[in-house]
Amino acid sequence: MEQTEGGTVMKNKLKPRRPLKEKHYWEEWTGRIYTSICVVFLIVVMFSIVYFVASKGLSTFFTNGISVSEFLGGKTWNPTGEPAFYGALPFITGSFITTLLAALIASPLGLCAALFMTEIVPGKGKKILQPAIELLSGIPSVVYGFIGLSVIVPLLRSIFGGTGVGIAAGCLVLAVMILPTVTSIMADALSALPKGLRESSYALGATRWQTIYRVIIPTTLPALLTGVVLGMARAFGEALAVQMVIGNAPHVPTSLLESASTLTSVITLSMGNTTMNSVHNNALWSMALVLLVMTFVFVILVRLLERRNRV
């Protein structure tokens, strides 16, 4: 306290708090360094995986002399025959057919479930469907395959005849597997829609269903398609569940009830029986490269849909 002519003036003398400031400074730099190391590590791992798969997969064409057209367009897969054939078209076809059919089955079911949770009965819908969706997403793929082998395959056999294994059984199992992913992303997209759009539609005299299919679905369509694409990405790379019910026959299917095979199935079944750097082993790595390229395609599609959604 200091005495002056005008009275008494109180002065607060604050001591500099350099140690605390220096502590925060070092904490910030420690966080930045740790984050940078993690980011660099992830980038190195990602590029290492891409380089390894690409180098092994491209050896089929540059080292072993198999043409790209023969590999992608060939219908005969007989790597142990004389002469050997390395046509991967049956497996590529099986992967695409099962993925597309599974998406066609799971997309409307996921959309209906998401609309039920967010638009029709928001309170009770989440209480009923949310635990069921979380339960489905936590079930291992081998359980899906065993259920498909025990339930779906006998059901198809009793209805249509034959063995029951094939494309139809595989796409049904995949549809159930990707349903939680599709439903969750669609529900998040519908929940993020501004309430003003709904209220404006109701104010103009539209009913609930008119608001849903004329306002809500067209507005959130890019985000809804994002859920479908992510579900397809998971279905395209699924191995064990499909392998148990699809039959694993190396030929191009002409019917949904015929046995077929996928890229992931033939890789998991054959990789352990091959010698490293052999033609057969390199051909399997080429299939893995096809899977990796398709994963990048799905990621690019998701990014494009997200950009369209922001616009």
Side-chain angles (χ1 to χ4, degrees), residues 16-24:
R17 305 177 67 179
R18 286 187 176 180
L20 183 60
K21 184 177 181 181
E22 291 179 358
K23 180 181 179 181
H24 290 168

Side-chain angles (χ1 to χ4, degrees), residues 218-219 221-223 225 301-311:
T219 305
L221 185 60
L225 293 177
L301 289 177
V302 169
R303 294 299 182 186
L304 292 176
L305 291 172
E306 289 178 351
R307 182 181 302 177
R308 180 183 174 187
N309 191 31
R310 286 196 298 268
V311 175

Side-chain angles (χ1 to χ4, degrees), residues 210-231:
Q210 289 174 337
T211 302
I212 288 174
Y213 74 81
R214 291 188 178 182
V215 177
I216 295 176
I217 293 179
T219 305
T220 59
L221 185 60
L224 299 178
L225 293 177
T226 300
V228 177
V229 173
L230 289 176

Side-chain angles (χ1 to χ4, degrees), residues 1-256:
M1 189 175 294
E2 183 178 347
Q3 297 288 337
T4 60
E5 295 180 357
T8 303
V9 178
M10 180 71 70
K11 285 188 176 181
N12 294 326
K13 295 182 179 180
L14 299 176
K15 295 181 179 181
R17 305 177 67 179
R18 286 187 176 180
L20 183 60
K21 184 177 181 181
E22 291 179 358
K23 180 181 179 181
H24 290 168
Y25 175 82
W26 287 112
E27 286 179 350
E28 181 179 356
W29 272 102
T30 302
R32 288 183 179 181
I33 293 172
Y34 178 75
T35 304
S36 301
I37 292 174
C38 293
V39 171
V40 171
F41 177 75
L42 290 175
I43 294 175
V44 170
V45 170
M46 182 186 67
F47 277 100
S48 300
I49 293 174
V50 173
Y51 173 77
F52 181 77
V53 175
S55 61
K56 301 292 286 186
L58 294 177
S59 298
T60 306
F61 313 116
F62 294 102
T63 304
N64 303 124
I66 298 175
S67 64
V68 178
S69 60
E70 178 187 352
F71 179 78
L72 297 179
K75 297 182 179 181
T76 303
W77 175 260
N78 188 14
T80 59
E82 290 293 339
F85 294 95
Y86 299 94
L89 183 62
F91 312 116
I92 297 174
T93 304
S95 295
F96 275 101
I97 292 177
T98 53
T99 300
L100 292 176
L101 291 178
L104 289 176
I105 296 172
S107 298
L109 295 176
L111 180 59
C112 292
L115 289 172
F116 183 81
M117 286 192 299
T118 58
E119 302 296 331
I120 300 175
V121 188
K124 295 182 179 179
K126 287 187 177 181
K127 291 181 180 179
I128 297 173
L129 285 181
Q130 195 72 27
I133 293 172
E134 293 175 356
L135 179 64
L136 287 175
S137 60
I139 297 176
S141 59
V142 65
V143 177
Y144 282 107
F146 185 71
I147 293 175
L149 195 62
S150 304
V151 178
I152 296 178
V153 170
L155 180 63
L156 294 176
R157 186 190 304 125
S158 62
I159 296 175
F160 301 103
T163 60
V165 296
I167 294 291
C171 68
L172 289 175
V173 171
L174 277 181
V176 178
M177 289 189 64
I178 68 175
L179 184 59
T181 302
V182 176
T183 304
S184 299
I185 296 176
M186 287 184 173
D188 293 339
L190 295 174
S191 300
L193 188 68
K195 294 183 178 180
L197 292 175
R198 299 180 179 88
E199 296 173 354
S200 300
S201 178
Y202 293 144
L204 293 174
T207 63
R208 174 187 294 175
W209 295 108
Q210 289 174 337
T211 302
I212 288 174
Y213 74 81
R214 291 188 178 182
V215 177
I216 295 176
I217 293 179
T219 305
T220 59
L221 185 60
L224 299 178
L225 293 177
T226 300
V228 177
V229 173
L230 289 176
M232 292 176 63
R234 183 189 177 187
F236 197 82
E238 180 57 40
L240 186 57
V242 182
Q243 176 184 325
M244 296 174 68
V245 298
I246 200 171
N248 303 307
H251 62 81
V252 178
T254 57
S255 171
L256 296 180

